[in-house]
Amino acid sequence: MPLTPEQTEELQEAFNMFDKSKKGSIAASDLGPVMSALGQNMSEVELKEMSGELGAEVSFKAFCDNIAKKLEGPSNAADVKAAFAVFDKDKSGNVSAAQLKKILTELGEQLSSDEVDAMLKTADVDGSGNINYENFMKKMLSA
């Protein structure tokens, strides 16, 4: 999915703060500060991964393409299933809603407890307190 004009403008403003020579590119070492300017505090591992994807000199187009790709999230159902499997310790196809709530409120986007409760209520289609991968994917794909 392409970036909206507003997203592109926001990225351009942050990018331009570090494109001192106005040549349309920045050093990979500037990715952390650019992402911080966008309100995204990335770990060293994430920054190294991003640098590896983009190279030593990063053009604005390559930067935007990388951000757009990251905004898309997992690229397919197999990626989602692999992420889900990390928490499915007993390989039952289910993950405890309580476990997901703990993870979602403490990591990543720092969702509020109410936001997570609403998400899990939608995902817990049978009311068991567990999130079933297959049911979850059907629900997400029909939304």
Side-chain angles (χ1 to χ4, degrees):
M1 176 192 260
L3 296 170
T4 66
E6 293 81 15
Q7 290 171 319
T8 302
E9 182 178 334
E10 183 180 0
L11 293 176
Q12 185 76 64
E13 287 174 13
F15 193 90
N16 286 347
M17 288 192 298
F18 297 91
D19 182 12
K20 303 290 186 204
S21 64
K22 304 297 178 218
K23 60 184 177 182
S25 64
I26 60 171
S29 60
D30 288 328
L31 287 171
V34 170
M35 295 306 291
S36 291
L38 292 165
Q40 302 296 313
N41 294 315
M42 298 173 70
S43 70
E44 287 299 317
V45 171
E46 291 170 317
L47 288 170
K48 283 181 181 177
E49 180 181 305
M50 188 179 211
S51 295
E53 293 168 356
L54 295 170
E57 193 72 16
V58 182
S59 72
F60 180 67
K61 180 184 180 330
F63 177 70
C64 286
D65 290 348
N66 184 275
I67 296 297
K69 181 179 166 191
K70 290 186 183 324
L71 289 175
E72 288 176 5
S75 59
N76 59 45
D79 290 344
V80 175
K81 189 170 189 168
F84 196 91
V86 169
F87 303 105
D88 182 13
K89 301 293 184 204
D90 62 0
K91 308 294 183 225
S92 66
N94 295 299
V95 175
S96 140
Q99 181 184 18
L100 278 178
K101 181 175 182 174
K102 181 176 173 35
I103 292 162
L104 293 171
T105 55
E106 294 177 4
L107 303 174
E109 292 294 315
Q110 298 289 321
L111 299 172
S112 74
S113 183
D114 290 341
E115 290 171 318
V116 173
D117 286 342
M119 183 187 334
L120 294 177
K121 184 176 181 180
T122 300
D124 184 10
V125 293
D126 63 3
S128 67
N130 289 313
I131 310 302
N132 176 273
Y133 169 77
E134 297 297 332
N135 292 338
F136 177 73
M137 286 306 295
K138 286 178 190 169
K139 187 88 168 163
M140 299 312 290
L141 293 174
S142 67

